Amino acid sequence: MAGIAVLCAGNLGGGVYVALNADDERGTSRNAASRTQSPPTGVPGGPVANVADERQVAPLRRVVPPDVLAVSRGGPIGRAEIARIGKLRRVQDVIAVAGGAVQLQGRGINTFAVDPSQFRSWTPPGTAKRNELWEALAAGRFVVSTAAADQLRLAQGTRYPVVARTVPQLEMGGSGTLGLPGIDMLVDRKTGTDMGLVPNVAVMVNAPGVDTAKLAGSVKRILGRDADVVNLHERRYQAPAEAGGRPGSYLDLYKEAARSCPGLSWTVLAAIGQVESDHGRNAGRSSAGALGPMQFLPSTWRSYGVDGDGDGKADIMNPYDAIPAASRYLCAHGGGKGGRQLYKAIWAYNHADWYVQKVLNLARAYAVRYD
């Protein structure tokens, strides 16, 4: 094919909000100079993970929930523009990826070419922790969204022709919730280059605690009219639950965990998750020795730890275990009774009145925003 087609409608995941382009005979874009540059490794402040052997996948060290996604309709996004986005107020992480619209089983499918060790941190927690998906991607296989796997009737381990600038026969390595509506397929960087995907065609931005609508507006002003910019916190873009009802995002995890404690609002768990680790972004050991996305002391974890995902162990670092454990702890201290009892339960979680006030204020803000 002369180029990769533009995909504008009929997306497998339930609605396209971006159009991904590849270079074609129409000529050079406004960012033509950047085409000779290799894609940046990602984020201001350092990459999410480093590995010595590109065939190996680094372990998941933190979660980086994307707040804004921007996709260029005019060619690669320039390095200068990416740098400007990284300097916006409170932006903590930026990652640039290659992409394009290819054909699989006769259907158009928006595809990103990514570094598995980096990109896994930007996906929903249930997908991020699945080493087998990222190892398959690193080995040159492709990974698709659950919707694409179902609708195209794809079988793991089977090879399929993928029609792009070249037509490689690629093996399906697995499927899962990707958390990016409109994007239904991932390949590794080398495969993407061989297929002719556009370098730096999209950027994802993580900016804890900002007004994401304003952030999206700032990114749009930097990239101009040739880019589609999406606030991923809009309700229609929230990641769906995974197959079998498994939560697909931190928001889903908080809501599910709260159900185990009648009377406890999920907004309290979300507020604690924000204060303690910024929803898994800073889950390392604190100065007091607490660990994980909900920052449990190991001694407390021994009493309240939960095997939330049924994998046979209660892992203090795993949000699927830590968030229901926080619900269990709050419930045991009267958190489901509301009022003064809820105040005492939060105080038991962290013995400081300022902490309780901050959690309650954030919980009210979550209720206004999402309920």
Side-chain angles (χ1 to χ4, degrees):
M1 296 181 67
I4 299 174
V6 178
L7 180 60
C8 297
N11 178 259
L12 299 171
V16 169
Y17 56 79
V18 295
L20 300 178
N21 306 309
D23 300 335
D24 58 21
E25 60 276 4
R26 289 175 296 179
T28 59
S29 75
R30 61 189 172 89
N31 291 313
S34 68
R35 292 180 188 169
T36 60
Q37 301 171 343
S38 60
T41 55
V43 301
V48 171
N50 294 310
V51 287
D53 183 350
E54 64 181 6
R55 299 290 292 178
Q56 300 298 315
V57 179
L60 180 66
R61 302 197 184 281
R62 63 187 180 115
V63 175
V64 188
D67 297 309
V68 167
L69 169 68
V71 179
S72 170
R73 288 181 275 111
I77 298 171
R79 285 192 173 190
E81 293 166 308
I82 296 170
R84 287 179 61 193
I85 292 171
K87 293 177 181 177
L88 291 173
R89 180 176 176 270
R90 299 193 71 172
V91 166
Q92 185 170 313
D93 296 281
V94 179
I95 187 171
V97 297
V102 304
Q103 286 193 0
L104 178 64
Q105 295 287 78
R107 295 281 298 276
I109 183 168
N110 282 336
T111 303
F112 276 175
V114 304
D115 176 340
S117 292
Q118 284 186 329
F119 194 80
R120 68 184 301 180
S121 296
W122 293 79
T123 61
T127 303
K129 64 172 287 192
R130 292 178 57 191
N131 287 330
E132 73 277 9
L133 285 183
W134 306 106
E135 290 168 355
L137 202 60
R141 305 181 185 98
F142 70 86
V143 169
V144 293
S145 67
T146 303
D150 291 343
Q151 293 181 35
L152 300 182
R153 298 182 180 181
L154 303 174
Q156 185 170 339
T158 300
R159 289 187 173 273
Y160 298 91
V162 179
V163 182
R165 184 162 293 166
T166 60
V167 189
Q169 296 276 337
L170 300 180
E171 181 180 331
M172 179 190 169
S175 63
T177 301
L178 302 183
L180 294 171
I183 308 301
D184 285 297
M185 182 173 172
L186 301 177
V187 295
D188 71 338
R189 282 179 173 174
K190 181 181 183 304
T191 302
T193 298
D194 293 343
M195 292 166 60
L197 299 187
V198 185
N200 292 5
V201 76
V203 294
M204 293 190 295
V205 186
N206 164 254
V210 303
D211 182 323
T212 51
K214 291 182 179 179
L215 175 63
S218 297
V219 173
K220 180 67 176 177
R221 284 190 290 274
I222 291 173
L223 298 182
R225 63 183 180 181
D226 286 338
D228 293 305
V229 180
V230 175
N231 172 9
L232 293 172
H233 289 270
E234 291 183 32
R235 189 179 299 274
R236 56 182 168 158
Y237 298 132
Q238 292 300 303
E242 297 177 353
R246 185 184 177 88
S249 70
Y250 265 77
L251 187 68
D252 293 329
L253 282 169
Y254 295 131
K255 290 181 176 180
E256 182 179 84
R259 297 190 189 106
S260 66
C261 181
L264 178 66
S265 172
W266 69 268
T267 62
V268 174
L269 291 173
I272 290 175
Q274 179 174 332
V275 175
E276 294 291 350
S277 73
D278 204 6
H279 311 304
R281 294 175 176 97
N282 303 300
R285 186 180 297 274
S286 73
S287 58
L291 288 167
M294 302 305 278
Q295 289 290 285
F296 275 96
L297 289 170
S299 57
T300 306
W301 183 259
R302 284 193 288 271
S303 298
Y304 293 94
V306 171
D307 176 15
D309 57 3
D311 65 355
K313 61 180 179 179
D315 183 355
I316 198 171
M317 301 299 294
N318 182 353
Y320 282 90
D321 298 343
I323 293 173
S327 179
R328 180 184 180 190
Y329 182 91
L330 292 170
C331 208
H333 289 80
K337 298 177 181 179
R340 188 63 186 171
Q341 285 299 115
L342 175 60
Y343 192 102
K344 290 181 179 179
I346 299 171
W347 190 89
Y349 205 96
N350 189 323
H351 300 342
D353 288 308
W354 67 263
Y355 177 89
V356 179
Q357 293 296 335
K358 186 171 185 177
V359 166
L360 291 175
N361 287 335
L362 283 171
R364 284 190 285 270
Y366 276 110
V368 169
R369 184 169 186 176
Y370 292 103
D371 281 350

